[in-house]
Amino acid sequence: MTAMFETETFDVVVVGGGPAGATAATDLARRGRSVLLLDRAGRIKPCGGAIPPRLIEEFEVPDSLLVARITSARIVSPANKHVDMPIDGGFVGMVDRDVFDEWLRQRATTTGAVRRAGAFKTVTRDADGVIVVHYQPKGVSGNGDPVCVRARAVIGADGALSSVARQCIPGSDRMPYVVAYHEIVRAPKGRSDFDGARCDVYYRGSLSPDFYSWIFPHGDTASVGTGSAHKGFSLRGAVDSLRAVAGLEGMETIRREGAPIPLRALRRWDNGRDVVLAGDAAGVVAPASGEGIYYAMLGGRLAADAVEELLVTSRGRALASARRRFVRLHGGVFWILGIMQRFWYANDGRRERFVTICRDRDVQQLTWDAYMNKELVKARPLAQMRIFFKNLAHLTGLVSA
């Protein structure tokens, strides 16, 4: 037990300073709440770094953070056939996660959050039932003595293997995930086979038996990566092969990063009392695409809204609104993408057909509309009908790859 008068108290402790945690801390600090943002210093998540226009507008991201503007994607089949998918009249922004995440954390402190570097350890409860967060501080001179703070609420935004979730949310230890790995390499200059405004996505079992591999340009650098849930699959070996295929094997490697990426959102994000999850900790990464930045930031915002309601009403059931609202907004998209991943990524034969489908302009337009706007777009009825019958023909084998 910890005596009340000995312990610093906050309205909210946010564990994890990635896009979800930093967004939640910013939103709550803007409302005048006392917020502690606790983050492990020095961690950079492996990520392609793509952010859609909706994120840029919704979360007020300045153009200065964009290191590239993507105007097309190229998807490559197992047989090395490729399909170019141009973005008509728009772009996808690319960010470097080390710079982008730090900017988000600094914004949180500018709005009033207290930021500390430290590793979350555990939670306990005070004599009056208030939650107590224990963490190991980190500084320039090394680790300090363990510290504990009291909080009226805790937001767990500490990644796919969230310690907050495992301690506080039943069932969170069963979240399925892929392991993503990428290498940041120096981008080639003046080469016709490398387009700094195009993302390349490879659907090839030798590079990923159950996911995909990518080359995403970041201005002077590029992210070259892959992911898989198959234990024993060599991610580094796959990236070596991808670099060789793309002619990037001789480019300087700046850094290497790996981390788990959740495959499915948890059924429960809160403990019904004073803890709620956000971002990868809640499992909000889009199936099939692995996209997570927008959904993480939205999840952080929804968690902040739920915590604000808790602080106002003292009703623990308010925390359930974070997941409920997310599912209402994006549950349909996640369901469809999950079906796509399970079917089309199953083997190279299906991957070949998937790439063939993507040659269709109706499919491309619907894909980009849904991605850019982050919702299921109601296409023209005739276009929807054409897409349905084309998919049916490929699924039944009536159309060859």
Side-chain angles (χ1 to χ4, degrees):
M1 295 293 184
T2 307
M4 291 174 54
F5 62 84
E6 295 176 343
T7 308
E8 191 176 11
T9 300
F10 292 88
D11 288 325
V12 189
V13 172
V14 180
V15 180
T23 299
T26 297
D27 284 4
L28 286 162
R30 282 176 172 168
R31 289 174 165 133
R33 299 298 179 181
S34 59
V35 181
L36 171 61
L37 178 60
L38 180 65
D39 184 58
R40 290 189 302 166
R43 179 181 178 273
I44 306 172
K45 181 182 176 181
C47 175
I51 60 173
R54 180 166 177 177
L55 183 154
I56 295 170
E57 178 181 355
E58 213 170 283
F59 295 97
E60 303 171 290
V61 174
D63 287 348
S64 60
L65 289 176
L66 303 183
V67 294
R69 293 172 182 248
I70 300 303
T71 56
S72 71
R74 171 172 289 180
I75 59 174
V76 185
S77 78
N80 210 36
K81 297 176 182 178
H82 71 261
V83 173
D84 288 333
M85 300 176 61
I87 303 172
D88 294 331
F91 71 91
V92 173
M94 304 299 292
V95 295
D96 287 332
R97 285 295 300 271
D98 54 341
V99 177
F100 181 70
D101 289 15
E102 177 60 20
W103 182 85
L104 292 174
R105 290 188 286 267
Q106 289 181 4
R107 180 164 69 173
T109 60
T110 300
T111 56
V114 175
R115 176 184 172 186
R116 293 176 187 163
F120 169 83
K121 292 301 183 183
T122 189
V123 294
T124 57
R125 294 201 177 269
D126 239 328
D128 57 0
V130 173
I131 197 166
V132 179
V133 176
H134 301 253
Y135 68 94
Q136 187 76 39
K138 295 184 178 180
V140 292
S141 59
N143 296 344
D145 294 329
V147 173
C148 61
V149 296
R150 301 172 81 239
R152 296 175 63 190
V154 172
I155 296 177
D158 50 335
L161 302 180
S162 166
S163 296
V164 174
R166 288 169 181 257
Q167 291 185 37
C168 302
I169 312 298
S172 61
D173 58 338
R174 296 189 293 273
M175 178 192 291
Y177 60 88
V178 301
V179 177
Y181 170 77
H182 79 161
E183 297 177 358
I184 300 295
V185 305
R186 191 70 62 191
K189 300 292 184 182
R191 275 178 29 185
S192 60
D193 59 344
F194 182 86
D195 187 343
R198 187 190 71 214
C199 287
D200 293 352
V201 181
Y202 288 75
Y203 294 99
R204 188 174 298 174
S206 61
L207 298 176
S208 172
D210 54 338
F211 201 54
Y212 67 83
S213 303
W214 68 85
I215 300 173
F216 288 175
H218 284 199
D220 292 335
T221 63
S223 165
V224 184
T226 191
S228 177
H230 286 211
K231 293 182 178 180
F233 180 76
S234 175
L235 297 175
R236 285 202 175 195
V239 169
D240 286 345
S241 298
L242 178 57
R243 290 180 64 167
V245 166
L248 298 175
E249 67 269 45
M251 305 308 297
E252 176 192 1
T253 301
I254 298 170
R255 65 177 190 267
R256 298 178 172 88
E257 295 149 358
I261 308 295
L263 280 173
R264 187 167 59 245
L266 292 175
R267 293 181 179 274
R268 185 170 182 176
W269 296 2
D270 70 281
N271 67 349
R273 184 174 180 180
D274 48 16
V275 178
V276 64
L277 306 177
D280 282 10
V284 290
V285 171
S289 69
E291 184 203 353
I293 301 178
Y294 173 77
Y295 297 114
M297 294 179 73
L298 175 64
R301 175 152 290 172
L302 297 180
D305 290 344
V307 165
E308 176 66 18
E309 184 180 349
L310 166 69
L311 297 176
V312 170
T313 66
S314 299
R315 291 196 294 264
R317 64 178 180 271
L319 297 178
S321 67
R323 186 183 190 280
R324 186 169 59 248
R325 291 174 63 194
F326 187 94
V327 170
R328 185 169 65 246
L329 290 169
H330 299 289
V333 172
F334 275 45
W335 181 73
I336 290 171
L337 291 176
I339 292 174
M340 286 179 55
Q341 179 171 340
R342 287 191 295 274
F343 183 84
W344 290 117
Y345 295 6
N347 55 59
D348 274 355
R350 292 184 182 179
R351 293 185 186 98
E352 201 71 43
R353 291 183 181 276
F354 175 70
V355 172
T356 300
I357 289 175
C358 292
R359 293 185 184 278
D360 186 87
R361 289 296 296 164
D362 288 330
V363 171
Q364 292 184 18
Q365 186 64 50
L366 188 62
T367 298
W368 284 125
D369 284 347
Y371 176 81
M372 306 282 270
N373 297 290
K374 285 291 162 280
E375 59 188 15
L376 289 174
V377 178
K378 294 182 179 178
R380 299 181 307 277
L382 288 177
Q384 285 279 30
M385 189 175 296
R386 288 197 299 269
I387 292 170
F388 171 77
F389 283 112
K390 290 167 187 173
N391 273 277
L392 183 63
H394 280 275
L395 287 168
T396 56
L398 294 176
V399 174
S400 59

